[in-house]
Amino acid sequence: MTLNFSSVTANMERLEETFNTYCKIVMDGFAERNAHLLGQEAVEKLRGLNTGAALLGSLCQSAQNKGYKMYLILNEYDNFANNILVDYGNERYHSITHGNGFFRGFLKVVKDYSNSVIERIFLTGVSPATMDDLTSGFNIADNYSSNSAFNNMIGFNEMDT
């Protein structure tokens, strides 16, 4: 399943709503496309859920019940968080990435299912600050950003620039 968080607005007043709506659209579609694997009950269960964390948790539970593994791609995982930091400041940024912040809670679900259902996670983003702030909630990853063996894998290499 692929989530591209560049689609999430950085308007602080609508951020959580936009995040949850985006997750609902993507995860409902994922469940419907994979109903032959997850079962129609998984699709029906998602209809009553409205937060990204609850939706992802339900999908993972359905996959686990059927004995399936998932690959999760979180593209631009830090996009809206970086924009919040720039546009609204540190306090509002912390409200989503620390404590009971909704984004931290979403990544906690990823972490909770990482050993059982989520086989691989691939995160792309630009800000090590966001990863640092989320690591206690998401401390299961290896950061390959500074590993030269992966320099040409994604993005610009030295020759391109």
Side-chain angles (χ1 to χ4, degrees):
M1 181 171 53
T2 300
L3 295 161
N4 182 345
F5 289 140
S6 67
S7 301
V8 176
T9 183
N11 177 322
M12 192 64 198
E13 286 69 38
R14 297 196 57 231
L15 177 62
E16 189 170 357
E17 173 192 349
T18 304
F19 177 84
N20 289 328
T21 299
Y22 174 73
C23 287
K24 180 136 184 79
I25 291 166
V26 171
M27 293 184 207
D28 280 352
F30 179 86
E32 288 171 10
R33 284 188 310 278
N34 293 287
H36 63 287
L37 299 171
L38 299 173
Q40 192 59 38
E41 64 276 3
V43 175
E44 295 299 324
K45 187 174 179 186
L46 287 184
R47 289 197 176 122
L49 302 174
N50 294 314
T51 69
L55 291 157
L56 181 60
S58 181
L59 274 177
C60 288
Q61 189 63 55
S62 294
Q64 187 173 41
N65 290 344
K66 300 286 184 173
Y68 291 113
K69 302 281 187 177
M70 292 174 57
Y71 278 46
L72 182 61
I73 300 169
L74 300 179
N75 189 24
E76 298 286 340
Y77 81 93
D78 60 348
N79 183 275
F80 63 87
N82 291 336
N83 290 331
I84 293 299
L85 183 59
V86 169
D87 295 342
Y88 295 95
N90 212 19
E91 186 176 322
R92 290 215 174 165
Y93 170 79
H94 278 254
S95 74
I96 66 170
T97 59
H98 291 75
N100 292 323
F102 75 89
F103 190 48
R104 184 181 180 95
F106 177 83
L107 290 180
K108 184 180 181 315
V109 174
V110 173
K111 178 181 176 183
D112 290 347
Y113 284 99
S114 66
N115 291 325
S116 58
V117 176
I118 301 175
E119 182 81 12
R120 295 274 189 271
I121 305 161
F122 187 72
L123 282 89
T124 66
V126 297
S127 176
T130 303
M131 183 56 78
D132 286 346
D133 285 339
L134 294 169
T135 52
S136 62
F138 190 70
N139 59 1
I140 55 163
D142 291 319
N143 185 348
Y144 291 111
S145 299
S146 58
N147 185 330
S148 62
F150 296 99
N151 281 352
N152 292 324
M153 186 173 169
I154 294 177
F156 295 107
N157 61 33
E158 190 173 332
M159 212 164 98
D160 291 335
T161 57

